[in-house]
Amino acid sequence: MNTKVLDANAPEAIDLAARLLAEGELVGFPTETVYGLGANALDPKAVLSIFAAKGRPADNPLIVHIWHQRQLEGLCEIPEGAEKLMRAFWPGPLTMLFSRTARIPNEVTAGLPTVAIRMPSMPCTQRLLRACGLPIAAPSANRSGRPSPTLASHVLEDMDGRVPLILDGGPCQVGLESTVLDLTHGQPTILRPGGITREMLERVTGTEVLLAGSILRPLQPNEQALSPGMRYRHYAPKGNVTLVEGPETAVLEALRNRCLEDRQAGRRSCVLCFTEHMDVLADCDPHDIGSRKDEAQVAHRLFDILRRLDQEGMETIYSEVVPPEGVGLAVMNRLGRAAAFRTLQVGNKEA
Ligand code: TXA
Ligand code: MG
């Protein structure tokens, strides 16, 4: 199959994408979070082809994308409290779980009684969803296990020859996947942190929003995954990533020592560090993850950097960490999983 890449802001490209989706084909498209790989959510065969193109396990359910709330009629039940969240955060990077009806195929939800719904905010995404008029099931447009794509070139890297069309809308603004919020089990619970933070949600719900246990640690052997996606190894570069945590001077020293020791042992190593530390770590092949004062910038850059590590053949990678608050929680969830939560604690915690 020949894969076309077209400008997402060209009306002809949107028309072609809408036609392909209506015919049961797959289309790669931008959103404000990451690029998605879309198919008609009401067509089980089209949905199955998403799993084939990604190499995704069949028991990991998909998010359904809409541009208008009225598309939900007959598909799911909107629980009390959800309306307020929709008004506050839709369109935007918030996915909510609702009880579903039989109109949503099992292929979308992996047989679960709930369906994940999101209304993306990027104007070209909205134009696409509107033009095709269908609810679109779309996971991130990466091959399973690879970092999510935040540029059309990332989608092409993973999906060339597997899909007829990729829409190029430039870099994704947020750069990490949407916040997934479960509203079907009593107290609202974040299953996956993202651009809409716990603090933002709590301000609207007026109640405590819980965090799923395995956001900042590995799932325990007997622990049930609230979200099937948490069971899988994700965002993992081929090299070994270690997070280094502690007071600034101790972290910088450890990053440097570890990286140079590995290099002496013949391993290809580098550090992921804040812009402010690029100079002091200049001899450690530093990769700039963004300013330490700007977690949103780190979120925006992270997946592109993780992808580059593989291209560069990195064997060991040492990374700085951000505080797990606000968008920093989403950053630490993705970085933690890239590192299989391997963390080196250095220096004196009190310092
Ligand atoms: O920002 C995003 O959410 C992107 C863009 C394309 O919209 N999509 C995305 O999809 O990240 P995906 O498939 O890569 O991640 C969906 C996550 C998975 O962890 C999946 O297990 C979880 O949502 N999920 C989907 N439906 C679910 C359900 N019914 N119950 C629990 N978890 C669900
Ligand atoms: Mg994904």
Side-chain angles (χ1 to χ4, degrees):
M1 184 188 294
N2 193 5
T3 301
K4 264 194 213 164
V5 181
L6 297 177
D7 179 357
N9 289 305
E12 320 78 71
I14 295 292
D15 289 347
L16 175 61
R19 201 161 63 238
L20 288 168
L21 289 168
E23 287 166 0
E25 301 282 347
L26 301 183
V27 173
F29 65 95
T31 81
E32 74 279 18
T33 57
V34 300
Y35 276 75
L37 183 64
N40 175 1
L42 303 178
D43 176 347
K45 213 166 131 231
V47 171
L48 281 178
S49 62
I50 294 180
F51 288 86
K54 278 185 62 98
R56 180 177 175 107
D59 63 353
N60 194 4
L62 306 178
I63 295 174
V64 174
H65 297 67
I66 55 166
W67 71 275
H68 200 286
Q69 228 172 290
R70 68 167 174 260
Q71 289 178 284
L72 296 181
E73 274 165 36
L75 297 184
C76 57
E77 281 165 40
I78 315 285
E80 227 189 311
E83 289 281 349
K84 258 204 307 202
L85 290 166
M86 289 181 189
R87 270 199 301 279
F89 301 116
W90 277 8
L94 175 66
T95 297
M96 286 187 270
L97 298 193
F98 302 135
S99 296
R100 66 162 174 129
T101 69
R103 275 195 67 212
I104 303 263
N106 278 321
E107 286 77 3
V108 172
T109 68
L112 292 173
T114 54
V115 60
I117 309 273
R118 150 164 147 76
M119 187 187 284
S121 66
M122 198 172 177
C124 64
T125 320
Q126 293 201 342
R127 281 198 288 275
L128 171 65
L129 293 170
R130 199 169 176 154
C132 72
L134 295 164
I136 296 297
S140 48
N142 50 289
R143 295 272 301 158
S144 222
R146 303 255 297 146
S148 294
T150 52
L151 290 170
S153 60
H154 296 160
V155 183
L156 191 63
E157 235 168 68
D158 284 15
M159 293 296 157
D160 197 9
R162 294 171 182 269
V163 300
L165 175 63
I166 297 168
L167 295 176
D168 184 350
C172 298
Q173 189 207 332
V174 180
L176 297 180
E177 307 87 342
S178 61
T179 304
V180 177
L181 184 69
D182 185 2
L183 294 169
T184 66
H185 290 93
Q187 228 171 323
T189 305
I190 293 179
L191 304 186
R192 179 178 72 183
I196 303 294
T197 65
R198 179 188 204 176
E199 297 80 354
M200 289 161 80
L201 292 168
E202 285 181 339
R203 245 174 273 141
V204 173
T205 59
T207 59
E208 191 188 0
V209 171
L210 305 178
L211 293 181
S214 57
I215 284 176
L216 292 178
R217 59 162 174 78
L219 206 60
Q220 307 301 302
N222 296 322
E223 189 176 355
Q224 196 199 344
L226 293 174
S227 179
M230 288 197 232
R231 277 202 301 271
Y232 298 104
R233 190 176 147 94
H234 248 208
Y235 321 118
K238 296 190 186 96
N240 269 321
V241 183
T242 304
L243 309 181
V244 184
E245 208 170 76
E248 185 177 356
T249 9
V251 167
L252 290 176
E253 193 180 289
L255 287 170
R256 196 150 186 284
N257 290 343
R258 291 287 173 135
C259 177
L260 296 181
E261 271 166 29
D262 279 7
R263 198 175 293 169
Q264 256 162 19
R267 281 188 286 273
R268 211 170 159 148
S269 332
C270 71
V271 299
L272 310 189
C273 68
F274 296 122
T275 314
E276 292 85 347
H277 298 151
M278 288 293 287
D279 285 347
V280 278
L281 294 167
D283 53 353
C284 301
D285 193 359
H287 289 51
D288 184 353
I289 57 172
S291 169
R292 61 181 304 179
K293 299 186 202 89
D294 187 354
E295 278 113 38
Q297 190 178 47
V298 180
H300 181 77
R301 289 185 184 189
L302 186 62
F303 284 152
D304 182 49
I305 293 177
L306 292 181
R307 274 179 180 259
R308 271 195 279 132
L309 297 174
D310 282 348
Q311 280 159 8
E312 294 164 353
M314 286 302 163
E315 291 168 286
T316 53
I317 300 121
Y318 297 93
S319 179
E320 294 205 62
V321 300
V322 301
E325 287 138 33
V327 180
L329 181 67
V331 169
M332 286 315 295
N333 169 255
R334 309 310 192 271
L335 202 49
R337 298 184 69 173
F341 295 99
R342 220 179 351 256
T343 307
L344 186 66
Q345 193 76 51
V346 295
N348 173 350
K349 267 193 176 175
E350 277 73 44

